[in-house]
Amino acid sequence: MKISKILFFIILFLNFKVSAQNVDSTKHSGEFWIGAQSILPSGEFAKKSGILLGIGLDFGFVFTPIKTDDLLQVGIDFGIDYFGKVKDSILKTNSNLYTINLVSRFKGPAKGRVQTYVDVLAGGKFFILATHNNNNIDDILFGTADYTTLKSKTSSVFSYGLGIGFKLKPKNKNASRMLDLRCTYLASGSMIYDLPSYKETWVSQTNMILPQVSYIYVFKGKKNTRKN
C-alpha cells in the first residue's frame, strides 16, 4: 500500500503543479471522452467474486494547461459498471462498480493518423449492492412497479494503474472528433468484498483489466502567455 499511496500523491502533485503554473489562461485545450468498456477481473478477485465479465461506461477529460502542444495532460476518469444481478420471485440485487481516478497522460510519438499515449491513474473503486423488488411485466404495465431500495451496501478500496491507448485521428487535421482505443489495468489492495448475497469475503486484491472504446471531442483554447 505504501507504493500505491506514493503513486497517488505523485499524480495529485502533477495535477496541481501543472495547473498552478497557468493562472493567466482563461481557456485550456484538451479532450472529453465517453465510451463503452468491459471489466475483466483477474486472479483471486475473479475466483472469489465469481465475476467473469462486467460491462459499463467510461467518461472523463484531460487538458493541457501549460501549452497546447505539450506532451503532458492531466484530468479525471470516471467509470460506471454493471456486474450483474441475482434474483428470486420477490427480490432482485444488482451488483455495480463505480471508479474515479486522477489521470496524468503522457503522449507518445504520433505516426500518421495514430497518436499513442500512456495514462497513470490513481483513485478509488466503489462496489455497491442494491436490493429492490423484483418487478414483473405486469407491475410495469399497470404502473405498480416499486423501485425503492430495500437494502444496500457499499465498500471501497484505493486503486492505481496504467492505461495504454491510441487515438485515431481523422484526415482533416482541424477535426474535433476522434476514436480512442485504450486498455487499462487497475490494481488495488486487500478489502472485504460483499457478494450479491451480502456475504462478506476477504480478497487480497481487486485487480482488473478494462478494454475501452471511446468517442473523443477535442476542445481548444488559447495558449498561455505567462507562467508564475
Side-chain angles (χ1 to χ4, degrees):
M1 287 298 293
K2 289 183 178 180
I3 295 177
S4 62
K5 289 181 180 178
I6 292 172
L7 179 61
F8 173 77
F9 285 114
I10 288 174
I11 295 176
L12 189 65
F13 173 78
L14 284 173
N15 277 263
F16 283 105
K17 178 69 175 178
V18 173
S19 298
Q21 296 177 355
N22 303 279
V23 296
D24 291 335
S25 178
T26 58
K27 294 182 180 180
H28 302 286
S29 299
E31 301 166 1
F32 170 82
W33 69 85
I34 183 168
Q37 65 182 5
S38 298
I39 305 93
L40 305 171
S42 65
E44 182 192 13
F45 180 52
K47 182 178 180 180
K48 288 192 173 182
S49 68
I51 300 170
L52 299 178
L53 176 68
I55 57 174
L57 296 175
D58 180 76
F59 59 97
F61 68 90
V62 291
F63 65 98
T64 309
I66 296 178
K67 55 184 180 180
T68 57
D69 57 350
D70 195 80
L71 297 179
L72 171 66
Q73 293 179 307
V74 294
I76 300 178
D77 179 88
F78 301 92
I80 303 174
D81 308 299
Y82 176 66
F83 277 153
K85 62 186 176 184
V86 295
K87 64 179 181 178
D88 54 30
S89 59
I90 301 174
L91 300 176
K92 175 178 65 177
T93 300
N94 293 319
S95 179
N96 299 290
L97 167 68
Y98 296 84
T99 60
I100 179 170
N101 290 283
L102 293 174
V103 180
S104 290
R105 173 168 293 180
F106 302 89
K107 294 182 181 179
K111 295 183 179 180
R113 294 168 54 192
V114 177
Q115 170 70 62
T116 59
Y117 64 88
V118 174
D119 286 344
V120 180
L121 305 98
K125 298 173 182 171
F126 302 87
F127 297 91
I128 299 178
L129 294 177
T131 301
H132 309 269
N133 287 313
N134 186 14
N135 300 298
N136 56 39
I137 188 64
D138 290 337
D139 295 322
I140 297 173
L141 291 176
F142 293 102
T144 59
D146 184 0
Y147 298 101
T148 303
T149 300
L150 304 175
K151 185 179 181 180
S152 66
K153 191 167 184 180
T154 300
S155 54
S156 61
V157 64
F158 176 80
S159 67
Y160 54 96
L162 291 174
I164 299 175
F166 59 91
K167 293 174 284 188
L168 301 178
K169 299 180 179 180
K171 292 182 179 180
N172 181 0
K173 294 182 178 181
N174 295 321
S176 59
R177 294 166 178 81
M178 292 183 289
L179 180 66
D180 181 42
L181 302 176
R182 179 176 71 161
C183 187
T184 301
Y185 182 77
L186 283 181
S188 54
S190 59
M191 67 174 293
I192 296 175
Y193 178 76
D194 298 295
L195 298 169
S197 62
Y198 289 92
K199 178 182 178 181
E200 296 180 344
T201 183
W202 178 264
V203 292
S204 61
Q205 49 88 356
T206 59
N207 301 345
M208 55 187 65
I209 300 170
L210 299 92
Q212 301 161 336
V213 179
S214 299
Y215 179 79
I216 295 178
Y217 174 76
V218 180
F219 55 91
K220 298 180 180 179
K222 67 181 183 180
K223 290 186 179 181
N224 299 313
T225 58
R226 191 186 68 186
K227 297 181 181 179
N228 286 342

